[in-house]
Amino acid sequence: MQGRIIKGIAGFYYVDTGSSLYECKAKGIFRNRKMKPLVGDMAEIEVLDEEKKLGNLTEILPRMNELIRPAVSNIDQALVIFAAKNPKPNYNLLDRFLLMMEKQRVPAVVCFNKTDLAREKELSVLMDVYKDCGHRVIFTSVSDETGLSEIREAVEHKTTVLAGPSGVGKSSMMNLLYPDANMETGAVSEKIQRGKHTTRHSELIRVGEDTFVMDTPGFSSLFVDMFEEDEIKYYFKEFEPYEGQCRFQGCSHTHEPGCGVKQALADGRISETRYDNYVLIYNELKEKRKW
Protein backbone atom coordinates (compact mmCIF):
# COMPACT_ATOMS: atom_id res chain seq x y z
CA MET A 1 0.00 0.00 0.00
CA GLN A 2 1.25 3.49 -0.84
CA GLY A 3 0.73 6.77 0.97
CA ARG A 4 2.36 10.02 1.89
CA ILE A 5 4.09 10.78 5.18
CA ILE A 6 2.29 13.75 6.65
CA LYS A 7 4.01 13.91 10.03
CA GLY A 8 6.86 12.31 11.94
CA ILE A 9 7.33 12.36 15.72
CA ALA A 10 9.72 10.35 17.90
CA GLY A 11 10.20 7.52 15.44
CA PHE A 12 6.53 7.28 14.43
CA TYR A 13 5.44 8.28 10.93
CA TYR A 14 1.86 9.06 10.01
CA VAL A 15 1.00 7.98 6.47
CA ASP A 16 -2.05 9.26 4.57
CA THR A 17 -3.18 6.73 1.97
CA GLY A 18 -6.04 8.91 0.78
CA SER A 19 -8.66 6.86 2.62
CA SER A 20 -6.96 6.15 5.96
CA LEU A 21 -4.22 7.38 8.27
CA TYR A 22 -1.71 4.80 9.49
CA GLU A 23 0.77 5.08 12.35
CA CYS A 24 3.96 3.46 11.14
CA LYS A 25 7.47 2.70 12.29
CA ALA A 26 10.46 2.70 9.96
CA LYS A 27 12.08 -0.69 9.44
CA GLY A 28 15.77 -1.13 10.18
CA ILE A 29 16.59 -1.09 6.49
CA PHE A 30 16.43 2.71 6.54
CA ARG A 31 19.08 2.91 9.26
CA ASN A 32 21.27 0.54 7.27
CA ARG A 33 20.91 2.80 4.24
CA LYS A 34 21.45 5.90 6.42
CA MET A 35 18.16 7.21 5.05
CA LYS A 36 15.71 9.11 7.23
CA PRO A 37 12.04 9.26 6.17
CA LEU A 38 10.86 12.84 5.69
CA VAL A 39 7.51 14.56 5.85
CA GLY A 40 6.34 14.71 2.25
CA ASP A 41 7.81 11.34 1.27
CA MET A 42 5.75 8.93 -0.77
CA ALA A 43 6.12 5.56 0.91
CA GLU A 44 5.22 1.88 0.69
CA ILE A 45 3.76 0.52 3.90
CA GLU A 46 2.79 -2.91 5.17
CA VAL A 47 -0.31 -2.95 7.35
CA LEU A 48 0.15 -4.75 10.68
CA ASP A 49 -3.25 -4.02 12.21
CA GLU A 50 -6.03 -2.72 9.98
CA GLU A 51 -8.39 -2.00 12.85
CA LYS A 52 -5.85 0.04 14.81
CA LYS A 53 -4.33 1.45 11.58
CA LEU A 54 -0.80 0.39 12.46
CA GLY A 55 1.94 -0.45 9.98
CA ASN A 56 5.58 -0.37 8.96
CA LEU A 57 7.33 1.78 6.40
CA THR A 58 8.98 -0.59 3.95
CA GLU A 59 10.15 1.67 1.14
CA ILE A 60 10.61 5.38 0.40
CA LEU A 61 9.79 6.15 -3.21
CA PRO A 62 12.18 8.37 -5.24
CA ARG A 63 12.05 12.01 -4.12
CA MET A 64 11.36 14.91 -6.46
CA ASN A 65 13.42 17.10 -4.14
CA GLU A 66 14.60 17.26 -0.55
CA LEU A 67 15.02 20.32 1.63
CA ILE A 68 17.59 20.56 4.38
CA ARG A 69 15.81 23.29 6.35
CA PRO A 70 13.04 22.54 6.94
CA ALA A 71 13.74 18.81 6.48
CA VAL A 72 10.89 17.92 4.08
CA SER A 73 10.56 16.44 0.59
CA ASN A 74 8.54 16.51 -2.62
CA ILE A 75 7.46 20.14 -2.47
CA ASP A 76 6.59 22.45 -5.35
CA GLN A 77 7.21 25.79 -3.69
CA ALA A 78 7.65 27.72 -0.46
CA LEU A 79 5.27 30.41 0.76
CA VAL A 80 7.21 32.57 3.20
CA ILE A 81 5.01 34.82 5.30
CA PHE A 82 6.21 37.88 7.19
CA ALA A 83 4.12 40.60 8.79
CA ALA A 84 4.13 43.99 7.12
CA LYS A 85 3.97 45.38 10.65
CA ASN A 86 3.65 44.05 14.20
CA PRO A 87 6.12 42.44 14.25
CA LYS A 88 8.24 44.64 12.01
CA PRO A 89 9.62 42.58 9.10
CA ASN A 90 13.16 41.32 9.58
CA TYR A 91 14.61 41.81 6.09
CA ASN A 92 17.81 39.94 6.90
CA LEU A 93 15.90 36.88 8.08
CA LEU A 94 13.70 36.93 4.98
CA ASP A 95 16.70 37.22 2.68
CA ARG A 96 18.38 34.28 4.42
CA PHE A 97 15.30 32.15 3.85
CA LEU A 98 15.13 33.16 0.18
CA LEU A 99 18.81 32.28 -0.18
CA MET A 100 18.14 28.81 1.19
CA MET A 101 15.26 28.27 -1.22
CA GLU A 102 17.38 29.47 -4.16
CA LYS A 103 20.17 27.11 -3.12
CA GLN A 104 17.73 24.19 -2.99
CA ARG A 105 16.07 25.25 -6.26
CA VAL A 106 12.63 25.66 -4.74
CA PRO A 107 10.45 28.50 -6.08
CA ALA A 108 9.38 30.89 -3.33
CA VAL A 109 6.43 33.26 -2.98
CA VAL A 110 6.86 36.16 -0.55
CA CYS A 111 3.78 37.20 1.41
CA PHE A 112 3.56 40.28 3.60
CA ASN A 113 0.55 39.84 5.90
CA LYS A 114 -1.19 42.31 8.25
CA THR A 115 -1.23 45.07 5.64
CA ASP A 116 -4.18 46.62 7.50
CA LEU A 117 -1.74 47.62 10.27
CA ALA A 118 0.75 49.32 7.94
CA ARG A 119 0.69 52.72 6.27
CA GLU A 120 0.69 52.97 2.48
CA LYS A 121 4.24 54.35 2.59
CA GLU A 122 5.44 51.35 4.60
CA LEU A 123 3.91 48.95 2.06
CA SER A 124 5.50 50.91 -0.77
CA VAL A 125 8.91 50.51 0.88
CA LEU A 126 8.41 46.74 1.12
CA MET A 127 7.52 46.53 -2.55
CA ASP A 128 10.52 48.68 -3.53
CA VAL A 129 12.85 46.37 -1.60
CA TYR A 130 11.53 43.10 -3.07
CA LYS A 131 10.10 44.00 -6.49
CA ASP A 132 13.25 42.74 -8.29
CA CYS A 133 14.17 39.88 -5.97
CA GLY A 134 13.08 37.23 -8.46
CA HIS A 135 10.10 36.04 -6.41
CA ARG A 136 6.41 36.80 -6.57
CA VAL A 137 5.33 39.21 -3.81
CA ILE A 138 1.77 39.19 -2.41
CA PHE A 139 0.30 41.59 0.16
CA THR A 140 -2.44 40.20 2.41
CA SER A 141 -4.60 40.98 5.39
CA VAL A 142 -6.54 38.30 7.22
CA SER A 143 -8.63 41.01 8.89
CA ASP A 144 -10.14 42.38 5.67
CA GLU A 145 -9.24 39.36 3.45
CA THR A 146 -7.07 41.44 1.12
CA GLY A 147 -4.97 39.27 -1.19
CA LEU A 148 -6.30 35.93 0.04
CA SER A 149 -7.61 35.00 -3.40
CA GLU A 150 -4.04 35.43 -4.71
CA ILE A 151 -2.72 33.11 -2.01
CA ARG A 152 -5.36 30.51 -2.80
CA GLU A 153 -4.48 30.69 -6.50
CA ALA A 154 -0.75 30.47 -5.74
CA VAL A 155 -1.03 27.25 -3.70
CA GLU A 156 -3.74 25.47 -5.71
CA HIS A 157 -2.72 22.09 -7.18
CA LYS A 158 0.68 22.30 -5.45
CA THR A 159 2.48 21.12 -2.34
CA THR A 160 3.57 24.27 -0.55
CA VAL A 161 5.86 24.68 2.43
CA LEU A 162 4.49 27.39 4.70
CA ALA A 163 7.27 29.20 6.53
CA GLY A 164 7.97 32.34 8.48
CA PRO A 165 8.54 33.66 11.99
CA SER A 166 5.99 33.08 14.74
CA GLY A 167 3.26 35.69 15.17
CA VAL A 168 2.89 36.75 11.55
CA GLY A 169 -0.55 35.19 11.05
CA LYS A 170 0.27 31.95 9.20
CA SER A 171 -2.29 29.86 11.07
CA SER A 172 -4.98 32.53 10.92
CA MET A 173 -4.51 32.83 7.17
CA MET A 174 -4.71 29.10 6.52
CA ASN A 175 -7.70 28.68 8.84
CA LEU A 176 -9.53 31.39 6.94
CA LEU A 177 -8.60 30.01 3.54
CA TYR A 178 -9.19 26.37 4.42
CA PRO A 179 -11.50 26.08 7.45
CA ASP A 180 -11.94 22.34 6.85
CA ALA A 181 -8.21 21.81 7.29
CA ASN A 182 -8.73 22.43 11.00
CA MET A 183 -10.77 19.27 11.22
CA GLU A 184 -8.09 17.25 9.47
CA THR A 185 -5.41 18.65 11.73
CA GLY A 186 -7.57 17.82 14.74
CA ALA A 187 -8.08 14.27 13.52
CA VAL A 188 -4.36 13.77 13.11
CA SER A 189 -3.69 15.22 16.54
CA GLU A 190 -6.31 12.92 18.06
CA LYS A 191 -4.68 9.86 16.52
CA ILE A 192 -1.19 10.95 17.49
CA GLN A 193 -2.37 11.82 21.01
CA ARG A 194 0.54 14.11 21.65
CA GLY A 195 -1.33 17.37 21.85
CA LYS A 196 -2.03 19.88 19.12
CA HIS A 197 1.29 21.71 19.12
CA THR A 198 1.59 21.18 15.39
CA THR A 199 4.03 24.04 14.97
CA ARG A 200 6.70 22.09 16.86
CA HIS A 201 6.99 19.69 13.94
CA SER A 202 6.57 19.87 10.20
CA GLU A 203 3.14 18.62 9.15
CA LEU A 204 1.55 18.11 5.73
CA ILE A 205 -2.11 19.11 5.59
CA ARG A 206 -4.39 18.15 2.71
CA VAL A 207 -6.49 21.20 1.83
CA GLY A 208 -7.75 19.96 -1.53
CA GLU A 209 -7.71 16.86 -3.68
CA ASP A 210 -4.23 17.64 -5.01
CA THR A 211 -3.36 20.63 -2.82
CA PHE A 212 -1.19 20.27 0.27
CA VAL A 213 0.16 22.83 2.69
CA MET A 214 3.12 21.91 4.83
CA ASP A 215 3.12 23.76 8.13
CA THR A 216 6.56 24.13 9.66
CA PRO A 217 7.79 25.51 12.99
CA GLY A 218 8.25 29.27 13.16
CA PHE A 219 11.84 30.46 12.97
CA SER A 220 13.59 33.45 14.48
CA SER A 221 17.06 32.88 13.04
CA LEU A 222 18.62 31.02 10.13
CA PHE A 223 22.23 30.03 9.69
CA VAL A 224 23.47 29.96 6.11
CA ASP A 225 26.54 27.81 6.71
CA MET A 226 25.64 25.62 3.72
CA PHE A 227 26.96 28.39 1.45
CA GLU A 228 30.35 29.55 0.24
CA GLU A 229 30.61 33.33 0.29
CA ASP A 230 31.46 33.47 -3.42
CA GLU A 231 28.22 31.79 -4.51
CA ILE A 232 25.57 33.90 -2.79
CA LYS A 233 25.80 36.76 -5.30
CA TYR A 234 24.16 34.45 -7.84
CA TYR A 235 21.07 34.14 -5.63
CA PHE A 236 20.43 37.89 -5.50
CA LYS A 237 18.65 38.04 -8.83
CA GLU A 238 18.63 41.84 -9.05
CA PHE A 239 22.44 41.74 -9.42
CA GLU A 240 22.32 39.77 -12.68
CA PRO A 241 21.79 42.66 -15.16
CA TYR A 242 24.88 44.47 -13.83
CA GLU A 243 27.41 41.69 -13.23
CA GLY A 244 28.75 41.92 -16.79
CA GLN A 245 29.63 45.55 -16.16
CA CYS A 246 32.16 44.78 -13.41
CA ARG A 247 35.80 45.61 -14.21
CA PHE A 248 37.14 42.45 -12.57
CA GLN A 249 36.12 38.89 -13.29
CA GLY A 250 34.88 37.18 -10.13
CA CYS A 251 33.95 40.53 -8.56
CA SER A 252 32.34 39.99 -5.15
CA HIS A 253 30.44 43.31 -5.38
CA THR A 254 31.73 44.30 -1.94
CA HIS A 255 34.98 46.27 -2.19
CA GLU A 256 36.26 46.14 -5.76
CA PRO A 257 36.56 49.33 -7.87
CA GLY A 258 34.62 49.47 -11.11
CA CYS A 259 31.83 47.22 -9.80
CA GLY A 260 28.67 47.30 -11.94
CA VAL A 261 26.47 46.17 -9.05
CA LYS A 262 27.76 48.90 -6.73
CA GLN A 263 27.22 51.47 -9.49
CA ALA A 264 23.62 50.25 -9.89
CA LEU A 265 23.24 50.61 -6.12
CA ALA A 266 24.54 54.19 -6.27
CA ASP A 267 22.11 54.92 -9.11
CA GLY A 268 19.16 53.60 -7.05
CA ARG A 269 18.52 50.64 -9.34
CA ILE A 270 19.20 48.06 -6.60
CA SER A 271 17.64 48.04 -3.14
CA GLU A 272 20.07 49.29 -0.50
CA THR A 273 18.42 47.02 2.07
CA ARG A 274 18.93 43.91 -0.04
CA TYR A 275 22.50 44.90 -0.91
CA ASP A 276 23.37 45.56 2.74
CA ASN A 277 22.03 42.11 3.67
CA TYR A 278 24.10 40.57 0.90
CA VAL A 279 27.28 42.19 2.25
CA LEU A 280 26.41 41.21 5.82
CA ILE A 281 25.91 37.55 4.88
CA TYR A 282 28.97 37.56 2.61
CA ASN A 283 31.20 38.85 5.41
CA GLU A 284 29.67 36.40 7.90
CA LEU A 285 30.51 33.47 5.63
CA LYS A 286 33.98 34.83 4.90
CA GLU A 287 34.74 35.09 8.62
CA LYS A 288 33.50 31.55 9.29
CA ARG A 289 35.81 30.19 6.60
CA LYS A 290 38.78 31.53 8.60
CA TRP A 291 37.92 29.38 11.62
Side-chain angles (χ1 to χ4, degrees), residues 20 35 59 72 172 282:
S20 298
M35 183 182 194
E59 189 71 36
V72 296
S172 299
Y282 175 90

Side-chain angles (χ1 to χ4, degrees), residues 24-39:
C24 299
K25 281 194 167 184
K27 300 194 82 171
I29 188 173
F30 297 110
R31 281 195 301 275
N32 297 337
R33 294 178 185 172
K34 296 183 179 178
M35 183 182 194
K36 181 179 173 61
L38 298 176
V39 172

Side-chain angles (χ1 to χ4, degrees), residues 69-83:
R69 297 173 187 159
V72 296
S73 70
N74 297 324
I75 66 158
D76 297 308
Q77 64 182 1
L79 174 62
V80 55
I81 302 177
F82 276 66

Side-chain angles (χ1 to χ4, degrees), residues 82 90 92-94 96 164-166 217-223:
F82 276 66
N90 183 330
N92 188 268
L93 187 60
L94 174 53
R96 285 168 186 260
S166 300
F219 55 80
S220 57
S221 63
L222 286 174
F223 298 104

Side-chain angles (χ1 to χ4, degrees), residues 3 35 68 88 104 108 150-151 159 183 193 239 266:
M35 183 182 194
I68 300 169
K88 184 179 177 182
Q104 297 170 106
E150 283 188 77
I151 295 293
T159 296
M183 293 187 292
Q193 292 183 337
F239 293 0

Side-chain angles (χ1 to χ4, degrees), residues 178-205:
Y178 304 106
D180 291 343
N182 267 340
M183 293 187 292
E184 293 194 28
T185 306
V188 172
S189 298
E190 185 178 342
K191 182 170 182 61
I192 294 170
Q193 292 183 337
R194 286 176 177 81
K196 297 187 179 181
H197 302 294
T198 55
T199 52
R200 291 178 57 194
H201 308 273
S202 296
E203 179 175 358
L204 193 62
I205 302 167

Side-chain angles (χ1 to χ4, degrees), residues 28-242:
I29 188 173
F30 297 110
R31 281 195 301 275
N32 297 337
R33 294 178 185 172
K34 296 183 179 178
M35 183 182 194
K36 181 179 173 61
L38 298 176
V39 172
D41 276 343
M42 297 300 297
E44 290 274 0
I45 68 170
E46 62 175 354
V47 178
L48 302 177
D49 189 321
E50 180 60 44
E51 186 178 347
K52 293 182 179 179
K53 304 296 183 188
L54 301 177
N56 279 333
L57 293 180
T58 59
E59 189 71 36
I60 301 298
L61 303 185
R63 292 166 176 161
M64 177 178 72
N65 54 30
E66 175 184 342
L67 298 194
I68 300 169
R69 297 173 187 159
V72 296
S73 70
N74 297 324
I75 66 158
D76 297 308
Q77 64 182 1
L79 174 62
V80 55
I81 302 177
F82 276 66
K85 195 169 185 177
N86 191 27
K88 184 179 177 182
N90 183 330
Y91 295 116
N92 188 268
L93 187 60
L94 174 53
D95 287 342
R96 285 168 186 260
F97 185 86
L98 293 177
L99 270 180
M100 290 170 64
M101 293 302 101
E102 288 277 2
K103 172 82 169 180
Q104 297 170 106
R105 298 182 180 179
V106 174
V109 177
V110 178
C111 171
F112 289 109
N113 192 32
K114 301 186 180 181
T115 56
D116 54 299
L117 301 180
R119 297 194 185 102
E120 195 65 40
K121 185 177 180 180
E122 291 170 315
L123 299 180
S124 179
V125 167
L126 288 173
M127 179 52 82
D128 285 344
V129 171
Y130 286 97
K131 64 183 179 182
D132 296 321
C133 72
H135 303 281
R136 181 179 180 182
V137 179
I138 301 175
F139 289 89
T140 62
S141 168
V142 172
S143 296
D144 58 24
E145 303 191 16
T146 297
L148 294 192
S149 60
E150 283 188 77
I151 295 293
R152 187 181 284 107
E153 175 266 322
V155 304
E156 195 172 13
H157 307 307
K158 294 183 175 73
T159 296
T160 303
V161 164
L162 195 64
S166 300
V168 297
K170 297 193 299 290
S171 297
S172 299
M173 181 184 296
M174 287 301 115
N175 290 342
L176 187 61
L177 282 171
Y178 304 106
D180 291 343
N182 267 340
M183 293 187 292
E184 293 194 28
T185 306
V188 172
S189 298
E190 185 178 342
K191 182 170 182 61
I192 294 170
Q193 292 183 337
R194 286 176 177 81
K196 297 187 179 181
H197 302 294
T198 55
T199 52
R200 291 178 57 194
H201 308 273
S202 296
E203 179 175 358
L204 193 62
I205 302 167
R206 183 193 293 271
V207 296
E209 187 174 343
D210 58 353
T211 303
F212 293 85
V213 172
M214 193 174 291
D215 200 7
T216 60
F219 55 80
S220 57
S221 63
L222 286 174
F223 298 104
V224 289
D225 46 357
M226 67 175 74
F227 294 89
E228 298 293 331
E229 73 267 20
D230 292 335
E231 72 175 299
I232 62 170
K233 62 185 178 183
Y234 300 116
Y235 302 132
F236 281 77
K237 297 301 183 184
E238 56 267 62
F239 293 0
E240 284 183 6
Y242 312 107

